[in-house]
Amino acid sequence: MKLLILLLLFSFNTYAEDILVFYSKGYVVSVDAEGNEKSIKKGDYLVQGETLKTGGGAFAILKIGKHSTHRVEERSEILIEKLPYQYEDSNELQQGGRFFLKLGTVFCEIYKKADNDSFEVKTKNTTMGVRGTKLMASIDKESKDTWLSVNEGIVEIHNNISKSSDIVTKDQSMIVEKDKNFTTQQKYDWQKNLKWDIEKNKDKFKSFRRQRKLAYKEFRQRRSSWSRNESRWSDFKKQRKIKLKKFRERVKDLKRNKSFKKRTNFKAKKVNKFRKKKTFYKKGMLDKNQKIEPNNFVKKKRKKLILQNNKDRLQNLRQKRRNQRRPMPRKRPETN
């Protein structure tokens, strides 16, 4: 029965709103927006906004319909920022997916090729845009270096701090030092040890974390400063521009995905509800007729109010102590 349900789910043209946990091993948990942890096992689902965490020796394989498959390796943490959606009655992608990689390693195999971004993997400062490919993205906890290795296709990489942009092609890898500075992309020997077949030999692969020491050794020996191939980059940007123009022409008359619209509306309502709850009327910070002020102003006002209350309490306490210390009037002895 379960198999029939899964087959029905993957037979739909549009992608499901949830991510299927296709396989899990070891300590794998999901954390929702409120910080509640839940143990994850095979057959469970993850929704947009949840964070997936894996412990030592653990990993999970995730599936998003016919769009992509992902392997989250041990000691990793990813936030599901966006899920992919297609237009109604069409194979065109309305919105691509996005993972925020906080820690560890993720292997991604994107089946759905699109003229716009099919999928993105982000770290704090680096964005890797994918349009149908196989890639590995990893971030080291200690050095904060970001690793990108491409097995198939092309990945566009951009850094927000250094404002650098480039493309990484098939069988090439790039290390972004401190999640800021690009180094020259090249073919490394450690790439041969990576297991690109995500679903095959689930329990018989060596995680990238366990290979990182050897990878660092080779990287330091062959490291060179980054310089972009401008002719290749300009050709890529021109082709990208042409494809985007054709994509906009194709989708301008298509119906937008109802599920995506519902999710967007639901999210907007939830945000408004949260904002209403997070007023400071009950705490006496704002009058009922007053509008909610910016957060920094409210924080200052709240801090001032707390300090004033503490000051009043301290004065009352001091006065109480003074009253307690005041000596009682002595009674004079009666004289006969």
Side-chain angles (χ1 to χ4, degrees), residues 331-335:
K331 289 184 179 181
R332 292 183 180 181
E334 295 181 0
T335 54

Tab-separated table of all heavy atoms in Angstrom, residues 331-335:
chain	number	residue	atom	x	y	z
A	331	LYS	N	12.092	54.401	75.715
A	331	LYS	CA	11.151	54.804	76.773
A	331	LYS	C	11.948	55.291	77.987
A	331	LYS	O	12.866	54.596	78.440
A	331	LYS	CB	10.267	53.627	77.155
A	331	LYS	CG	9.260	53.274	76.093
A	331	LYS	CD	8.371	52.169	76.592
A	331	LYS	CE	7.331	51.832	75.491
A	331	LYS	NZ	6.407	50.741	75.957
A	332	ARG	N	11.576	56.460	78.469
A	332	ARG	CA	12.264	56.971	79.665
A	332	ARG	C	11.783	56.229	80.918
A	332	ARG	O	10.594	55.935	81.040
A	332	ARG	CB	11.983	58.461	79.840
A	332	ARG	CG	12.645	59.275	78.736
A	332	ARG	CD	12.395	60.740	78.980
A	332	ARG	NE	13.023	61.538	77.946
A	332	ARG	CZ	12.982	62.872	77.907
A	332	ARG	NH1	12.329	63.514	78.861
A	332	ARG	NH2	13.565	63.524	76.931
A	333	PRO	N	12.701	55.924	81.800
A	333	PRO	CA	12.291	55.226	83.034
A	333	PRO	C	11.386	56.102	83.876
A	333	PRO	O	11.586	57.325	83.989
A	333	PRO	CB	13.613	54.949	83.719
A	333	PRO	CG	14.567	55.923	83.157
A	333	PRO	CD	14.129	56.221	81.756
A	334	GLU	N	10.384	55.505	84.457
A	334	GLU	CA	9.438	56.283	85.302
A	334	GLU	C	10.103	56.634	86.628
A	334	GLU	O	10.772	55.811	87.263
A	334	GLU	CB	8.182	55.429	85.556
A	334	GLU	CG	7.399	55.162	84.258
A	334	GLU	CD	6.181	54.344	84.542
A	334	GLU	OE1	5.925	53.980	85.694
A	334	GLU	OE2	5.474	54.024	83.541
A	335	THR	N	9.899	57.853	87.010
A	335	THR	CA	10.485	58.332	88.299
A	335	THR	C	9.434	58.326	89.376
A	335	THR	O	8.285	58.713	89.146
A	335	THR	CB	11.028	59.760	88.113
A	335	THR	OG1	10.021	60.595	87.607
A	335	THR	CG2	12.230	59.747	87.164
